[in-house]
């Protein structure tokens, strides 16, 4: 029961993190678009100054400085958006991450006519994971779940031949 409660808490925490990342993506994209529009407006103003050459060099330098700062903020927003997208893709399947990105308010509750859910508890996993380096824990879990996948494929092949 203690392990199940711990797993439920971790799953709930992951869900909250996923929802936060999905909600952040549209905001980051809007910010990036807004900054791009501002940069375009500043570039146009600088081009007008170059063409007319009626403004003092100090004003032109100020506009160029603002354009550079805006370009830096735009790059930072792009990096944050890319990082958020990368985290989202690491937390869930690509198809689900893209659905959340494209429609963050969508409640994803897909229906499958046939599905198998495996609940597994690895005895003494928490103490073992605490003693091992993270890379070894991931390798161990990969071996366990790869074996589950292999057995499931074997059973499905047996069922299809009957």
């Amino acid at each position: 029961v203690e392990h199940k409660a711990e797993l439920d808490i971790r799953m709930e925490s992951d869900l909250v993190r996923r929802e936060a990342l999905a909600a952040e993506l549209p905001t980051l994209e809007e910010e990036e678009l807004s900054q791009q529009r501002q940069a375009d407006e500043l570039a146009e103003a600088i081009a007008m100054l170059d063409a007319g050459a009626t403004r003092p060099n100090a004003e032109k330098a100020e506009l160029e400085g603002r354009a550079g700062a805006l370009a830096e903020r735009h790059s930072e927003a792009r990096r944050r958006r890319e990082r958020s997208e990368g985290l989202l893709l690491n937390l869930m399947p690509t198809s689900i991450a893209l659905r959340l990105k494209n429609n963050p308010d969508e409640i994803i509750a897909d229906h499958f006519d046939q599905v198998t859910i495996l609940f597994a508890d690895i005895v003494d996993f928490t103490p073992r994971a605490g003693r091992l380096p993270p890379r070894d824990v991931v390798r161990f879990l990969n071996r366990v779940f790869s074996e589950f996948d292999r057995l499931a494929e074997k059973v499905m092949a047996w069922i299809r031949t009957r």
Side-chain angles (χ1 to χ4, degrees):
V1 175
E2 182 179 316
H3 294 292
K4 183 185 180 319
E6 184 179 318
L7 180 61
D8 288 343
I9 290 169
R10 263 191 264 132
M11 289 173 63
E12 189 174 310
S13 173
D14 284 349
L15 180 61
V16 169
R17 253 192 316 242
R18 291 174 192 163
E19 289 173 350
L21 283 169
E24 185 179 339
L25 286 175
T27 304
L28 291 172
E29 288 173 350
E30 290 168 10
E31 180 183 340
E32 190 176 340
L33 287 173
S34 171
Q35 289 176 358
Q36 184 61 50
R37 282 191 297 274
Q38 291 175 9
D40 291 345
E41 290 171 8
L42 284 171
E44 186 178 314
I46 290 169
M48 286 174 31
L49 286 173
D50 283 342
T54 57
R55 305 275 181 168
N57 285 338
E59 188 174 341
K60 181 180 175 185
E62 179 196 341
L63 284 174
E64 288 173 342
R66 287 176 47 205
L70 190 57
E72 180 57 38
R73 288 199 324 259
H74 177 70
S75 293
E76 178 59 29
R78 184 182 316 115
R79 283 191 295 274
R80 287 193 351 247
R81 180 181 48 80
E82 289 170 357
R83 180 177 177 272
S84 293
E85 286 178 1
L87 289 171
L88 196 61
L89 288 169
N90 282 332
L91 287 171
M92 60 189 60
T94 303
S95 61
I96 300 297
L98 291 175
R99 285 170 64 184
L100 281 172
K101 177 184 172 197
N102 294 330
N103 189 359
D105 296 328
E106 177 185 10
I107 296 174
I108 297 176
D110 294 339
H111 172 80
F112 298 95
D113 290 327
Q114 295 182 357
V115 66
T116 300
I117 299 174
L118 170 67
F119 292 94
D121 182 25
I122 300 172
V123 177
D124 294 326
F125 176 76
T126 302
R128 180 180 185 169
R131 290 189 307 270
L132 294 173
R135 185 177 302 271
D136 290 348
V137 173
V138 171
R139 282 187 184 128
F140 170 73
L141 290 173
N142 187 50
R143 282 196 318 269
V144 169
F145 286 102
S146 293
E147 184 64 16
F148 283 150
D149 290 342
R150 189 190 67 72
L151 290 171
E153 286 175 14
K154 183 177 177 180
V155 169
M156 289 308 298
W158 180 79
I159 291 171
R160 281 191 295 266
T161 60
R162 298 285 165 197

